[in-house]
Amino acid sequence: MTTYNSDTLFKEFKPQIEQTSRSWFIWFGFFICCFIFGVVGFIRQLTGGHIVTGMRDNVVWGVYIVNFIFFMGISYAGALISGVLHLFRTGWRKPIIRMVELITVISLVIGPVFILFCVGRFERIPYLFIYPRIQSPIMWDVIAILTDLVGCIIFVYLSYIEDLALLRDRSSELKIPKWRKKLYKWFSLGYKSTPSQVKRLIFSRNIMAAMIIAIAIIVYSVLAWIFGVTLQPGWHSTIFGPYFVIAAVYSGTGVLIIVMYLFRRMNHLENYIKKQHFVNIAVLLFIIGAFYGYFTFADYLTKWYGSVKMDKELIDKLFKDYYWEFIVANYVGVLVPMIIIAFPKLRTINNITIGAIITIFALWMNRYLIVVPTLETPYLPIQDIRPDWVKYKATWVEWSLTLAGVSVYFILFMIASKLAPIISISEMVHQDHKHVPDEPVQIL
Amino acid sequence: MEDTNKDKPNSRRKFLQLGLGLGAVSVATAVAGKALAAGPEGGEKSAPSASGEKVKVLTTDGKVVEVDAAQLSLAKASGKFVSPSESHIGIPGRKFVMVIDLSKCKNARKCIEACQEGHYLPKDHEWMKVFLMQDANTTAPYWFPKPCFHCDNPLCVSVCPVGATYKRSDGIVLVDTDRCIGCKFCMTGCPYSARVFNWNKPEVEYPSDMKYSPERAVPQKEGTVGKCVFCADKLRKGELPRCVAACPMGVLYFGDILEDSVTNGTETVRFSELIRNRAGYRHLENLGNMPSVYYLPPVDRQFPVDSGYDDLKPELKERFKNIPYIKNTKLKKP
Ligand code: SF4
């Protein structure tokens, strides 16, 4: 069992926040370029109207909504995982907990932006607050997401305070610009680790951890109900709330593995993030993957077995027009990661990361298959000869904004990892209980 | 467009003027002439001299009475501008209903054209659509005109986050494009595909003095939804919706369910009797949206289905290429 003290950790992580490597700048520049491409796409959409997207009268929601669900899902997963890890005092959480928390906040900032791209008149978004109608599930979502945003920011901020105070106290040793030192000073809120401050901080963090678990579940269910309350075949399903929550945690766990992998390599954290961390998270991925597979199966089986006309049409479409997408989303996306994790021989860090990438890709596809084919199967047949009216195909504008969303995700992560160490020093130093080992426990 | 009615016999227009314009006035006094003169504009006018032309009208209690034509015209409301906020209030004492007789439709598409002209819609925006339906391979195909159903339990209204779409006391569901944020939730909510989105700026010329009212829904705005409005502007004036007036086959009946009467322009019938005798039904009743549009089943057809297909332009024919009947009879190579 290793005990860490803040002095050695500070010294070790100091270079990471002081210096920026060449490759960091190269990647940063690359993501900025992607972002600019997105801006071009957005300007095109503003000037040309929504006709430049692939959305048409039947498929009125496309890749934008898919991205929205996807990013929100990752965020809720982050909230759930960090809340649970925190509350249960899981010893091995310490080196990775900050990454989970960052996942929560960063995805939560990006997700809702896709709604702005999707609505026809985004300058009228304030109407949501001027003329709100609480009967509408969109309003539920607005309230839920705002609550979630506030809750998550508080939760993550609380976890930062101790580190910020440490950086403030030792800022004379840091070779960083003045404004950053000032930032540490302001945001550490005069935290001095007095016993009463410590007590209050621990208390608030526990409360927030419990709260964001509840909020995450509620909020993602509300998002699912946007689809569930309509009468569309494939959406009108009672299972959607829990199904979305599980799918969210599945994709979020995958993202966590990838983030761990990247930071481990970039910041040389091999001593902290060990193989066992990957394996433990992978076990989590395995369990949730099993649930996700089960929910998916249950949902499609009941639709397929009966013979309701619209359900049948939808299933036929999924197996005909979307055959490969369906296989990737619901077979490959479940079975491959599970097989990798199930066999100890396959369970290497690289393999687990590959499994996680497959998970994320499959889950994005899963959301696509929830949104688009349903809209292509309306109750009244589509009798139209314009091909784009019959079948949805995202245009470059939509892809450019998707790419921009992903790059902003990386950009924010890169910035966040420069502002404070990506491994929480205070978390590493604290002793939860005497008997909890800090080394990861071997689950499998 | 405004004068689609001109070439039709006078009487049916007059029917609606009494029916729609003076609904609140009790019939017994209405025929007395004096009270009739108190039109919706209020204020009493001296009764005009009789024209001699008598018009038959159906009263709310089901009696047919004769009224002088000259008196009737007084009931006509002015084409007063109805602002978006005023458009929330339905025409008092009314509950509009449409009945579509599927046995008479031959896909003449006159309703669509009249609608597009009257609401200044681009050619690819069809608020009224005519589908060729064939419910199963073994069942008969039929033409199926479909406006907005103006449901009594409208999901589009429930889901709108800003109240841009609303249900009025007279049954009409309208969209205020000044309020609509374009979230398209109503479009996914509507199971009848009644709504059309303005993906770009509508490429049509509007009269310069046109002021926007949700009742006529002109002009349409980019990034918002549009849909059939039952021609609420026409109803205010006591006239029939444009599609009803334009249909040469008399397929579309329009009227008031409280008055229990509907007319297709040439004949006026009791709504309840029509539905009872002809086994009227509503489309997709199982969804529980309770449409205000009823259908009469396509029995004893007046035209073969082919008559609506054969004269179509090729691009319109294209639309129906997946219908089994068309596939088997028209597209099969000999
Ligand atoms: S698209 Fe407009 S009318 Fe439809 S739900 Fe959204 S805001 Fe309401």
Side-chain angles (χ1 to χ4, degrees):
Chain A
M1 178 169 153
T2 345
T3 36
Y4 298 97
N5 75 46
S6 58
D7 187 51
T8 46
L9 286 174
F10 175 74
K11 291 221 173 87
E12 176 147 9
F13 294 141
K14 201 166 75 126
Q16 285 179 19
I17 58 172
E18 275 178 338
Q19 305 148 5
T20 7
S21 64
R22 258 247 318 270
S23 69
W24 192 93
F25 276 114
I26 291 172
W27 278 110
F28 199 76
F30 170 74
F31 290 129
I32 292 284
C33 288
C34 296
F35 176 71
I36 291 170
F37 180 45
V39 173
V40 173
F42 185 60
I43 292 171
R44 177 79 193 93
Q45 181 173 315
L46 273 189
T47 52
H50 276 55
I51 197 82
V52 302
T53 69
M55 296 185 282
R56 293 296 181 266
D57 276 354
N58 294 298
V59 185
V60 293
W61 291 343
V63 163
Y64 292 151
I65 292 286
V66 175
N67 291 340
F68 167 66
I69 310 174
F70 180 71
F71 278 107
M72 297 311 281
I74 296 173
S75 163
Y76 299 142
L80 271 177
I81 298 170
S82 58
V84 170
L85 291 183
H86 180 87
L87 277 188
F88 286 92
R89 307 262 176 279
T90 324
W92 52 271
R93 77 176 188 278
K94 294 183 169 181
I96 57 170
I97 190 103
R98 173 141 306 158
M99 294 172 197
V100 196
E101 290 162 355
L102 281 176
I103 289 176
T104 309
V105 171
I106 293 177
S107 346
L108 195 51
V109 171
I110 296 173
V113 176
F114 280 102
I115 291 296
L116 302 189
F117 303 151
C118 188
V119 298
R121 315 273 312 206
F122 80 101
E123 79 279 6
R124 290 184 183 171
I125 287 290
Y127 287 5
L128 287 173
F129 305 98
I130 305 172
Y131 312 108
R133 270 184 83 257
I134 199 68
Q135 298 94 317
S136 164
I138 290 198
M139 234 33 240
W140 309 346
D141 227 17
V142 170
I143 296 168
I145 290 177
L146 288 180
T147 314
D148 194 44
L149 194 66
V150 174
C152 285
I153 288 178
I154 294 176
F155 176 66
V156 174
Y157 180 52
L158 288 175
S159 83
Y160 261 97
I161 284 188
E162 282 177 284
D163 275 12
L164 292 176
L166 177 77
L167 292 168
R168 172 203 60 198
D169 293 342
R170 307 188 64 161
S171 61
S172 53
E173 299 164 44
L174 285 169
K175 288 191 277 308
I176 51 167
K178 250 221 167 96
W179 64 268
R180 274 178 63 181
K181 293 184 183 174
K182 271 207 185 126
L183 223 61
Y184 295 144
K185 195 167 165 229
W186 284 334
F187 282 103
S188 53
L189 299 179
Y191 183 81
K192 294 232 162 47
S193 304
T194 64
S196 79
Q197 281 180 332
V198 172
K199 204 173 140 211
R200 241 176 280 160
L201 186 66
I202 291 177
F203 182 71
S204 346
R205 285 186 65 189
N206 286 344
I207 289 200
M208 284 317 293
M211 259 170 56
I212 64 162
I213 295 176
I215 293 177
I217 294 177
I218 294 169
V219 172
Y220 212 53
S221 307
V222 169
L223 201 154
W225 292 333
I226 286 202
F227 301 92
V229 296
T230 68
L231 299 169
Q232 302 293 345
W235 288 1
H236 189 55
S237 159
T238 51
I239 212 173
F240 256 38
Y243 181 34
F244 268 51
V245 173
I246 283 293
V249 183
Y250 193 45
S251 61
T253 315
V255 170
L256 172 60
I257 291 177
I258 293 171
V259 170
M260 275 161 58
Y261 181 85
L262 292 178
F263 275 115
R264 184 172 184 264
R265 286 199 55 171
M266 254 176 29
N267 292 8
H268 307 290
L269 301 173
E270 285 83 356
N271 288 336
Y272 299 93
I273 304 176
K274 300 185 179 138
K275 185 181 167 197
Q276 198 57 49
H277 286 107
F278 280 88
V279 174
N280 283 0
I281 296 288
V283 171
L284 194 65
L285 191 77
F286 183 93
I287 298 168
I288 296 162
F291 269 110
Y292 164 72
Y294 162 73
F295 270 91
T296 311
F297 181 73
D299 193 35
Y300 284 118
L301 176 85
T302 44
K303 282 190 188 109
W304 167 80
Y305 195 91
S307 48
V308 176
K309 185 172 169 236
M310 294 317 296
D311 285 346
K312 190 175 169 307
E313 254 176 53
L314 178 67
I315 299 281
D316 285 352
K317 176 162 272 151
L318 283 172
F319 278 104
K320 230 176 82 209
D321 301 353
Y322 291 96
Y323 181 75
W324 284 111
E325 289 92 330
F326 193 84
I327 297 288
V328 168
N330 300 325
Y331 290 81
V332 178
V334 179
L335 295 178
V336 174
M338 280 174 89
I339 290 169
I340 291 177
I341 301 160
F343 295 100
K345 266 220 186 96
L346 295 176
R347 235 183 269 152
T348 63
I349 291 183
N350 284 347
N351 280 354
I352 289 175
T353 311
I354 291 171
I357 293 172
I358 293 174
T359 304
I360 294 176
F361 188 70
L363 260 282
W364 190 90
M365 201 54 103
N366 171 272
R367 272 61 182 271
Y368 188 90
L369 291 184
I370 287 176
V371 173
V372 175
T374 283
L375 289 174
E376 282 174 359
T377 322
Y379 281 97
L380 282 152
I382 303 178
Q383 293 186 345
D384 211 309
I385 50 164
R386 297 163 290 181
D388 47 342
W389 249 257
V390 180
K391 190 157 167 49
Y392 170 77
K393 210 164 152 276
T395 61
W396 72 268
V397 174
E398 283 158 291
W399 292 125
S400 74
L401 283 164
T402 306
L403 188 67
V406 176
S407 3
V408 171
Y409 197 80
F410 283 105
I411 291 173
L412 291 180
F413 250 110
M414 290 170 92
I415 294 175
S417 73
K418 285 291 150 201
L419 283 178
I422 193 70
I423 289 185
S424 168
I425 298 179
S426 54
E427 201 78 36
M428 296 292 284
V429 175
H430 283 316
Q431 294 280 308
D432 289 325
H433 298 289
K434 287 265 158 7
H435 57 274
V436 177
D438 282 342
E439 284 294 296
V441 200
Q442 191 166 346
I443 305 184
L444 218 98
Chain B
M1 178 51 249
E2 288 295 330
D3 42 24
T4 333
N5 281 334
K6 274 197 190 131
D7 46 337
K8 303 265 158 71
N10 237 351
S11 54
R12 60 190 135 91
R13 197 172 178 192
K14 293 287 160 59
F15 159 77
L16 270 179
Q17 282 171 6
L18 182 76
L20 300 179
L22 277 178
V25 182
S26 89
V27 173
T29 49
V31 279
K34 206 174 174 196
L36 186 74
E41 287 122 305
E44 212 157 294
K45 293 171 193 150
S46 58
S49 52
S51 69
E53 189 198 346
K54 293 287 182 200
V55 179
K56 278 200 173 68
V57 293
L58 190 67
T59 64
T60 38
D61 53 358
K63 282 193 214 99
V64 175
V65 291
E66 274 197 349
V67 183
D68 192 282
Q71 287 175 318
L72 280 168
S73 61
L74 275 175
K76 185 170 171 167
S78 68
K80 188 174 151 286
F81 172 72
V82 179
S83 73
S85 60
E86 285 163 350
S87 76
H88 280 253
I89 298 153
I91 302 168
R94 300 272 123 192
K95 180 75 176 66
F96 296 111
V97 62
M98 188 184 264
V99 180
I100 299 177
D101 186 351
L102 298 177
S103 68
K104 287 194 281 199
C105 180
K106 58 167 236 168
N107 192 28
R109 294 180 62 81
K110 292 285 177 264
C111 52
I112 302 173
E113 285 161 22
C115 176
Q116 289 180 330
E117 234 176 287
H119 298 287
Y120 294 86
L121 298 177
K123 278 287 159 272
D124 58 346
H125 282 212
E126 293 181 356
W127 287 358
M128 176 65 129
K129 285 193 189 102
V130 181
F131 291 83
L132 178 56
M133 300 284 262
Q134 187 174 9
D135 301 335
N137 278 350
T138 44
T139 58
Y142 56 94
W143 295 105
F144 184 80
K146 184 203 59 92
C148 168
F149 284 170
H150 297 270
C151 305
D152 286 344
N153 183 17
L155 203 58
C156 56
V157 172
S158 311
V159 300
C160 179
V162 292
T165 185
Y166 41 92
K167 175 93 182 160
R168 319 197 302 184
S169 60
D170 56 4
I172 297 180
V173 175
L174 290 183
V175 182
D176 179 354
T177 55
D178 281 344
R179 174 73 64 84
C180 174
I181 62 170
C183 67
K184 299 167 270 183
F185 198 5
C186 53
M187 300 183 77
T188 64
C190 175
Y192 311 112
S193 314
R195 289 171 172 250
V196 175
F197 197 74
N198 291 295
W199 297 102
N200 51 359
K201 214 166 183 282
E203 282 150 10
V204 277
E205 292 254 332
Y206 297 108
S208 54
D209 57 340
M210 201 109 190
K211 248 168 84 191
Y212 172 70
S213 163
E215 293 209 334
R216 188 163 182 188
V218 183
Q220 285 287 298
K221 291 185 195 71
E222 181 185 347
T224 62
V225 285
K227 70 165 192 73
C228 154
V229 286
F230 262 3
C231 290
D233 59 320
K234 285 269 187 187
L235 298 176
R236 270 267 180 225
K237 290 190 251 173
E239 292 170 21
L240 283 169
R242 294 171 176 88
C243 52
V244 179
C247 178
M249 314 297 157
V251 171
L252 309 170
Y253 291 77
F254 196 86
D256 185 329
I257 205 165
L258 302 177
E259 236 173 27
D260 196 21
S261 71
V262 286
T263 179
N264 64 352
T266 34
E267 72 174 327
T268 300
V269 277
R270 281 224 199 176
F271 169 75
S272 55
E273 258 169 41
L274 186 66
I275 296 296
R276 193 168 57 239
N277 295 342
R278 302 277 309 277
Y281 70 97
R282 297 189 288 196
H283 189 60
L284 292 175
E285 184 71 66
N286 58 327
L287 297 181
N289 293 103
M290 303 202 276
S292 296
V293 174
Y294 292 73
Y295 286 94
L296 304 178
V299 287
D300 299 330
R301 312 273 186 104
Q302 298 192 356
F303 314 94
V305 158
D306 306 53
S307 67
Y309 180 83
D310 292 340
D311 302 332
L312 288 178
K313 287 197 215 110
E315 67 262 27
L316 284 172
K317 280 186 175 164
E318 253 313 279
R319 289 190 181 185
F320 311 115
K321 63 174 191 291
N322 290 328
I323 306 296
Y325 175 76
I326 299 295
K327 258 196 231 162
N328 295 336
T329 59
K330 310 276 170 188
L331 305 176
K332 230 188 210 154
K333 305 244 155 50

